[in-house]
Amino acid sequence: LPAGLSQWFPALEVLDVSGTGLTEMGPELLSLPCLHTLLAKNNRLGGPGSLPKGLGQAPLARSLRVLNLSGNRFSEVPPALLQLRGLRSLSLGGNRLHGIPPDIQELQSLEFLYLGGNFITAIPPELAKLPSLRYLVLCDNKIQSIPPQLAQLHSLRSLSLHNNLLTYLPREILNLVHLEELSLRGNPLVVRFVRDLTYNPPSLQELAGRTVKTRNVPYAPSDLPDSLVRYLSLASNCPNPKCGGVYFDSCVRQIKFVDFCGKYRLPLMHYLCSPECSSPYSSASQSSTSQSESDSEDEASVAAHRMQKVLLG
């Protein structure tokens, strides 16, 4: 960046240096107290010293609202960016990112996050701690699963996940009550699934914990060690409505298809307490399977009016 920039334009609010071949942005950037939009797309940023030191402590950290660094060479999200607490829009598409740092949760004002066209393999649960996030773009990566915590993004309107490696979605995605657009094309979601019935038998501790929970055995915190009280509080209810059981660490993963918008069937992940809950040869399971299926579709029909666009093709 040219020296003396702040002297020439002390009230500069928007700076666009896209496509200029920049390899670094110097300290001149720090002395622009009114800058709220910085566009630096399609450059060669990403090496050591690409961003000025002290970025997180400069007045810019409070004033900057929009930052676009797409089409550069960043292999990780620069830690300095996570100190720009006033950011509402962050674009790092078309870089070389392999992950998303958990500290992304520090950007509490973020409304738009674009990370498409990278090499990201996993989404950290901490991403769900962005209360204002409305648009999340993670397309064209290598993501294999979605953490159920994303259901906590209650402000989310658009979720772009096309061209990844997704084979299922977490059941909790039905809780995204304001979601209007879900883009899933280019994922192996539409192939047929073989149910994963791999099941590690529960430990004696888990069997005891299941008995306590399902039979409502009374106990007071003073009766048990703190570790066991915490353990008992981690019980998850089996989603099979005919079961009524619980599980802790030992469960069966099952893919179940539900309808969206009366047109698409999406594979959602369920966790059952035992293989008997999914076995077609169990009489209890036979009645519960149809009931569970209808319950899932009831959920889908309730969610259908929320899902204005489900893009699979």
Side-chain angles (χ1 to χ4, degrees):
L1 295 178
L5 184 63
S6 60
Q7 297 175 358
W8 301 337
F9 306 104
L12 190 66
E13 296 183 354
V14 178
L15 177 60
D16 188 350
V17 291
S18 301
T20 56
L22 280 179
T23 57
E24 63 180 51
M25 291 188 285
E28 299 81 12
L29 192 65
L30 304 180
S31 52
L32 295 171
C34 301
L35 192 68
H36 61 70
T37 299
L38 175 58
L39 309 177
K41 302 179 293 181
N42 303 324
N43 284 299
R44 291 182 286 170
L45 301 168
S50 291
L51 301 178
K53 293 182 179 179
L55 181 61
Q57 290 73 44
L60 185 66
R62 295 185 295 272
S63 66
L64 201 60
R65 297 289 180 266
V66 177
L67 177 60
N68 192 327
L69 294 172
S70 292
N72 280 284
R73 302 177 180 180
F74 290 101
S75 58
E76 62 179 17
V77 177
L81 298 188
L82 304 177
Q83 300 178 39
L84 303 177
R85 305 298 169 81
L87 271 186
R88 294 177 185 170
S89 175
L90 174 60
S91 299
L92 280 163
N95 277 275
R96 302 171 181 176
L97 305 180
H98 284 80
I100 305 172
D103 286 346
I104 195 76
Q105 65 183 311
E106 300 298 331
L107 301 180
Q108 290 286 293
S109 299
L110 206 61
E111 298 177 8
F112 178 91
L113 179 60
Y114 190 104
L115 297 174
N118 283 286
F119 302 96
I120 297 169
T121 58
I123 303 173
E126 289 80 4
L127 190 63
K129 297 180 180 180
L130 297 176
S132 303
L133 195 64
R134 294 166 60 88
Y135 301 93
L136 176 58
V137 181
L138 295 167
C139 60
D140 299 293
N141 279 287
K142 299 181 180 297
I143 298 168
Q144 299 184 41
S145 63
I146 304 299
Q149 289 86 349
L150 284 196
Q152 300 168 20
L153 291 171
H154 300 303
S155 298
L156 201 64
R157 298 293 191 275
S158 178
L159 176 58
S160 295
L161 293 166
H162 52 272
N163 298 331
N164 277 284
L165 302 175
L166 297 171
T167 56
Y168 67 89
L169 297 175
R171 181 184 178 89
E172 289 80 0
I173 201 168
L174 296 175
N175 296 328
L176 291 173
V177 296
H178 298 298
L179 198 64
E180 297 172 356
E181 181 174 291
L182 174 61
S183 178
L184 295 169
R185 66 183 184 274
N187 282 280
L189 282 164
V190 294
V191 301
R192 286 195 169 274
F193 290 87
V194 176
R195 289 180 177 176
D196 181 5
L197 296 180
T198 301
Y199 181 64
N200 294 319
S203 64
L204 291 177
Q205 176 176 281
E206 175 152 351
L207 289 173
R210 291 187 182 195
T211 301
V212 169
K213 293 304 237 180
T214 56
R215 298 189 179 183
N216 294 316
V217 177
Y219 66 91
S222 58
D223 298 333
L224 301 172
D226 290 343
S227 60
L228 289 181
V229 173
R230 285 194 299 271
Y231 180 78
L232 289 171
S233 70
L234 298 175
S236 299
N237 293 321
C238 181
N240 185 336
K242 296 293 186 179
C243 175
V246 300
Y247 63 87
F248 293 85
D249 302 310
S250 180
C251 61
V252 176
R253 299 191 343 160
Q254 180 190 52
I255 298 294
K256 189 176 289 293
F257 287 82
V258 300
D259 287 334
F260 270 124
C261 303
K263 185 177 180 181
Y264 300 112
R265 289 182 67 74
L266 298 183
L268 303 184
M269 179 64 79
H270 293 241
Y271 296 89
L272 303 174
C273 68
S274 71
E276 286 74 18
C277 281
S278 60
S279 171
Y281 303 106
S282 167
S283 58
S285 174
Q286 284 180 340
S287 59
S288 65
T289 300
S290 59
Q291 179 67 39
S292 178
E293 185 74 34
S294 63
D295 287 349
S296 296
E297 297 197 4
D298 285 344
E299 283 181 327
S301 64
V302 170
H305 72 277
R306 304 172 186 155
M307 306 291 294
Q308 302 303 312
K309 294 181 181 179
V310 179
L311 305 178
L312 287 173

